[in-house]
Amino acid sequence: MNGKKAWTITIVAVLCFMVNSTSEQRVPPLLPVLTDQLGLNLVQGGWLMSAYGIASMLISVPAAYFLMKLRPKLSMATAISSTAIGAFIGTFSENYHVLLVGRVLDGLGTGFIAVVVASHRINADFLMPLC
């Protein structure tokens, strides 16, 4: 593998994990704004964080089955797409229920990514279709 290809793969992997970790922790700093804009109470704000964690945990159980059926490249693309769609929904949501759906999709994507990455070594053949 040449240096340019290795750096491209490294940058893509780092960006994927930066987006996921930012996605996981974006509710607590924004909770005062969400409370004002959407009229959320404390329980609803808590569910925005909990739904993410619960969805992430629930997808990790059947993720190996999906990984075997979809193969690593398509599994990673599906997981990243789920996180991106969840972030997109969350960005443009105007009520609590739509925002909660976006958080669940974020959690599903993150949980799936964790299983895919843990079960396969990150190499050029695995990440290059995403570049």
Side-chain angles (χ1 to χ4, degrees):
M1 177 180 346
N2 64 25
K4 185 177 179 182
K5 194 173 189 179
W7 276 108
T8 302
I9 292 166
T10 301
I11 290 169
V12 168
V14 168
L15 287 175
C16 287
F17 285 105
M18 284 176 51
V19 167
N20 279 322
S21 62
T22 303
S23 176
E24 180 181 2
Q25 296 299 325
R26 74 173 169 237
V27 170
L30 293 175
L31 198 52
V33 175
L34 292 172
T35 302
D36 290 341
Q37 296 293 320
L38 299 178
L40 301 181
N41 60 33
L42 191 58
V43 173
Q44 290 172 322
W47 267 109
L48 290 176
M49 283 300 291
S50 297
Y52 182 92
I54 291 169
S56 187
M57 180 185 65
L58 289 177
I59 193 67
S60 65
V61 175
Y65 173 77
F66 294 127
L67 179 63
M68 290 184 336
K69 291 294 182 187
L70 297 176
R71 302 288 179 221
K73 293 176 188 176
L74 186 56
S75 295
M76 188 64 139
T78 302
I80 291 171
S81 298
S82 175
T83 303
I85 291 168
F88 184 78
I89 289 172
T91 300
F92 296 106
S93 62
E94 295 184 6
N95 64 39
Y96 167 72
H97 299 291
V98 175
L99 184 58
L100 190 62
V101 168
R103 291 296 290 169
V104 168
L105 286 174
D106 278 340
L108 290 174
T110 301
F112 200 20
I113 287 172
V115 172
V116 172
V117 169
S119 65
H120 290 281
R121 287 179 275 143
I122 297 177
N123 59 35
D125 296 332
F126 184 62
L127 286 177
M128 279 317 285
L130 303 175
C131 298

